[in-house]
Amino acid sequence: MILVDIASLVGIILCFAMMLYGIIDGAGIENLVKEYWNMPSAIITFGGAFAATLASHSMADFINGLKSFGLIFKTPAINTADMIRKIIDLSNVARKEGLLSLEEAAADMDDAFLKKGILLMVDGTDPELVRAIMETELVSIEGRHKTCIGFWDTLGAMGPAWGMIGTLIGLVNMLNNMEDASAIGPAMAVALLTTLYGSMIANWLCIPIAAKMKVNNDLEIIVKDVMVEGLLSIQAGENPRVIEEKLKSFLSPAVRESVGTGGGEE
């Protein structure tokens, strides 16, 4: 079951609602489309921003970046405290029945990263090699995350830039047609719309999306670091209570008590 990240959903909706309130309060709902929608401005800003972002990435990375938009609305199935409890349980099993007994536990694991580490350990792989393999995969995972984050960072930078380009185009057109003084105000308003659209792209969508992805990436990396340290500690034959205390150092003091004292089993 996929849980919706309420904070991201509510935040995006509230940003749009407050912006819409400001527009309606000033222009009135009857003039909403007339005064705040201009097709050429939208084409220059949105089209230019996405085209420049495409030029900055491969086609595959561009498509994956677009698809990643939905990820911020899903609550990551990441709980460091739960993972520490799971590692402690595995350490108790290994202490009682030996490392080979963990192969059966690995069959029921949903997390591919943790399962891979357990199987490497059960196969008798050298601890340094286990660490090297898992850390290499960790770097690869973080690299894929940073590619998606980079997509939104780039789009967030291109939006205001192309908004400014659109404004400059509008100003040039306005200055070339100044015979009618009454048309200067509306022409200036249209020119500024591209700046508005560019700011919307960056501050309403791209910057919050990139920030949320960075938070989720950091959480996942911490959990996987816990897995690496926990499994290597089990392989080294450390006492479950020592493993528990070692892994609790990844948690904030307020969360450490929720882990419990499962490491005390013998």
Side-chain angles (χ1 to χ4, degrees), residues 1 81 83 104-105 155 204 214:
M1 180 179 178
M83 181 53 64
E104 183 177 348
L155 185 58
W204 176 38
K214 289 172 185 176

Side-chain angles (χ1 to χ4, degrees), residues 131-232:
R131 180 184 290 276
I133 291 172
M134 297 189 75
E135 288 184 347
T136 298
E137 184 162 346
L138 196 56
V139 169
S140 178
I141 291 171
E142 190 169 16
R144 290 194 295 271
H145 291 174
K146 287 184 176 179
T147 298
C148 286
I149 294 170
F151 168 86
W152 292 103
D153 282 336
T154 302
L155 185 58
M158 294 301 176
W162 278 89
M164 182 56 66
I165 289 172
T167 296
L168 293 174
I169 292 172
L171 290 176
V172 170
N173 292 335
M174 182 189 73
L175 292 173
N176 282 326
N177 296 278
M178 294 192 65
E179 294 84 3
D180 184 3
S182 64
I184 294 177
M188 184 67 180
V190 170
L192 290 175
L193 277 179
T194 56
T195 298
L196 172 63
Y197 294 161
S199 296
M200 286 171 56
I201 292 174
N203 299 288
W204 176 38
L205 293 175
C206 296
I207 294 175
I209 290 172
K212 178 52 72 72
M213 287 185 171
K214 289 172 185 176
V215 169
N216 290 343
N217 172 71
D218 290 344
L219 289 174
E220 184 171 348
I221 295 303
I222 288 174
V223 171
K224 285 180 166 46
D225 281 336
V226 166
M227 295 179 193
V228 173
E229 292 301 325
L231 292 180
L232 289 173

